[in-house]
Amino acid sequence: MGLGERGRTSPLIIPGMIDPHVHLRDLDWVHKGTFASETAAALAGGYWAVLDMPNTPPPTIDQPALARKLEAIGAGARCDWGVYFGASQADNTAIYPAVAGRVCGLKIYNNATTGTLLLDDQAARAAHFRAWPAGKVIAVHAEGETVADILALVRLTGRHTHFCHISTAEEIALLRAAKADGLPVSIGVTPHHLYLTERDVQTLGALGRMKPELKTEADRAALWDAVTDGTVDVIESDHAPHTLAEKDGDPPPFGVPGLETTLPLLVTALRAGRLTAERLIALLATNAQRIFGVLPPPETYTVVDLNASYVIACERLHTACGWSPFEGMRVMGQVRRVVVRGQTVFDGERVLAAPGSGRGLFGERS
Ligand code: DOR
Ligand code: ZN
């Protein structure tokens, strides 16, 4: 990236963008989105690949549910993909050796959120940590004091643990210390926790409700410090579409879409001098590739116009839910082209990849 005349810069090329935290829906929740619609959103957002969470019904916690999801995502996905297996309250650890090779990792929900997968018993958590094959990632939803509980299990078992959507200064401090101690942990932060706070819930209402909830300005500042100093490994969208009608309910379901707004929000930080291009590429592509042990195929990259400045508008989004908590925000950075295996799959306006053209990254349908 070179600074040219009047602050214009040449396009940024990102190799193999991957979002390791999305909820694509489909299956029993096709009304919220489908593998075809949400992977179109992924490509339009610049992504080569996404990793899908197990909490959409039927939850991915047994062999039939995994088989159904692999079949459906293989038939529907337009981008490359992996899926997580879910830890279940009803002990499902006996099948871990059989399923681990077909998934990107295990997800453990240690605090309440959308779906039915809460695991709040520390002894049960320990059993899941021990049973999951070493060498495959364990991704955890852990908030507040639960972060320390999970760190105790990391210390005990040595399993590589990815802490999803970390949102507070205290959690970041604990994890920074754990990294300094040499524990095998990685950290994800979402764009909504970097750009919004609890004050925005006053205007956004249900569209600003997700798990973890939006936090304080001091938490937001601590997250940015951790993003810029290298403590945070990945920016993950936690793309979680719900329909507007559902969001209108009382209580509203938790979750916000994010696949099409994450890259421009980070480019906006880049252009404001808050991030370097090297750091942006690490946060959106290479760190997640390293954590999950996948490399993009040859000729797989995203071309980003760093000069484009525009207002986020919902009618331009591909996600089936059709809304964004960032609507109306002025951002910089527009995806001009996504190339996968030498083929243009998004040309800046249209998604050109057909459903089913995406490939599984973890041993199935490749
Ligand atoms: O806000 C959230 N929504 N947080 C989660 O952990 C799950 C997600 C969903 O599936 O809707
Ligand atoms: Zn999530």
Side-chain angles (χ1 to χ4, degrees):
M1 183 186 70
L3 265 181
E5 273 177 69
R6 293 194 300 274
R8 291 183 71 77
T9 65
S10 42
L12 180 69
I13 312 291
I14 308 179
M17 272 174 62
I18 175 166
D19 188 336
H21 190 149
V22 299
H23 303 260
L24 300 180
R25 312 310 191 189
D26 209 296
L27 307 175
D28 293 350
W29 274 0
V30 287
H31 68 285
K32 293 182 199 272
T34 64
F35 290 128
S37 69
E38 301 317 292
T39 54
L43 291 175
Y47 290 98
W48 149 61
V50 293
L51 305 182
D52 186 50
M53 286 293 171
N55 62 326
T56 289
T60 320
I61 53 174
D62 55 32
Q63 303 247 38
L66 177 62
R68 182 173 163 200
K69 181 178 269 196
L70 291 174
E71 181 69 30
I73 196 171
R78 301 172 197 263
C79 68
D80 289 0
W81 51 269
V83 307
Y84 289 87
F85 201 67
S88 161
Q89 270 165 8
D91 184 2
N92 62 347
T93 55
I95 55 174
Y96 284 178
V99 298
R102 289 186 284 158
V103 301
C104 61
L106 178 73
K107 176 70 182 281
I108 307 181
Y109 287 91
N110 300 282
N111 299 100
T113 185
T114 307
T116 55
L117 296 182
L118 174 64
L119 207 72
D120 54 7
D121 179 79
Q122 184 73 354
R125 291 170 182 157
H128 287 277
F129 262 78
R130 286 206 183 85
W132 189 247
K136 275 253 152 171
V137 176
I138 298 178
V140 293
H141 180 138
E143 298 186 39
E145 289 167 6
T146 311
V147 169
D149 294 340
I150 301 304
L151 280 173
L153 298 178
V154 180
R155 224 174 266 282
L156 200 67
T157 64
R159 295 290 194 274
H160 179 115
T161 304
H162 178 72
F163 286 77
C164 300
H165 45 47
I166 287 304
S167 64
T168 73
E170 277 180 9
E171 294 162 1
I172 277 290
L174 273 179
L175 289 166
R176 191 183 269 120
K179 280 190 158 187
D181 269 3
L183 289 188
V185 300
S186 53
I187 303 170
V189 165
T190 73
H192 43 271
H193 293 111
L194 287 173
Y195 276 88
L196 304 172
T197 68
E198 58 194 5
R199 292 183 60 116
D200 292 296
V201 182
Q202 289 163 20
T203 44
L204 286 169
L207 303 190
R209 299 293 305 283
M210 75 292 292
K211 291 288 185 186
E213 299 275 8
L214 295 174
K215 299 294 186 335
T216 67
E217 192 55 43
D219 290 315
R220 192 172 89 91
L223 294 183
W224 271 112
D225 287 347
V227 165
T228 50
D229 76 9
T231 301
V232 171
D233 298 282
V234 301
I235 303 297
E236 52 192 31
S237 73
D238 200 2
H239 181 80
H242 297 282
T243 67
L244 277 173
E246 289 168 332
K247 278 296 209 182
D248 227 9
D250 188 17
F254 298 115
V256 294
L259 277 167
E260 294 166 272
T261 45
T262 297
L263 178 59
L265 287 168
L266 282 207
V267 170
T268 304
L270 171 79
R271 295 304 309 265
R274 214 165 192 180
L275 278 183
T276 63
E278 291 68 29
R279 190 84 193 104
L280 181 146
I281 290 170
L283 289 163
L284 292 179
T286 49
N287 282 353
Q289 292 168 13
R290 173 177 46 79
I291 291 165
F292 289 89
V294 288
L295 279 178
E299 290 186 73
T300 297
Y301 55 89
T302 298
V303 182
V304 189
D305 177 349
L306 299 180
N307 302 308
S309 168
Y310 59 99
V311 170
I312 291 174
C314 293
E315 61 270 17
R316 296 204 54 187
L317 300 177
H318 293 73
T319 176
C321 76
W323 59 272
S324 165
F326 302 109
E327 179 172 33
M329 191 179 283
R330 178 160 286 278
V331 289
M332 294 192 79
Q334 200 149 49
V335 180
R336 292 289 184 224
R337 200 145 58 97
V338 180
V339 178
V340 175
R341 289 176 279 275
Q343 303 283 319
T344 298
V345 289
F346 177 66
D347 68 3
E349 294 194 359
R350 289 164 306 149
V351 172
L352 304 172
S357 59
R359 294 194 189 171
L361 299 173
F362 297 88
E364 196 83 359
R365 284 177 168 268
S366 50

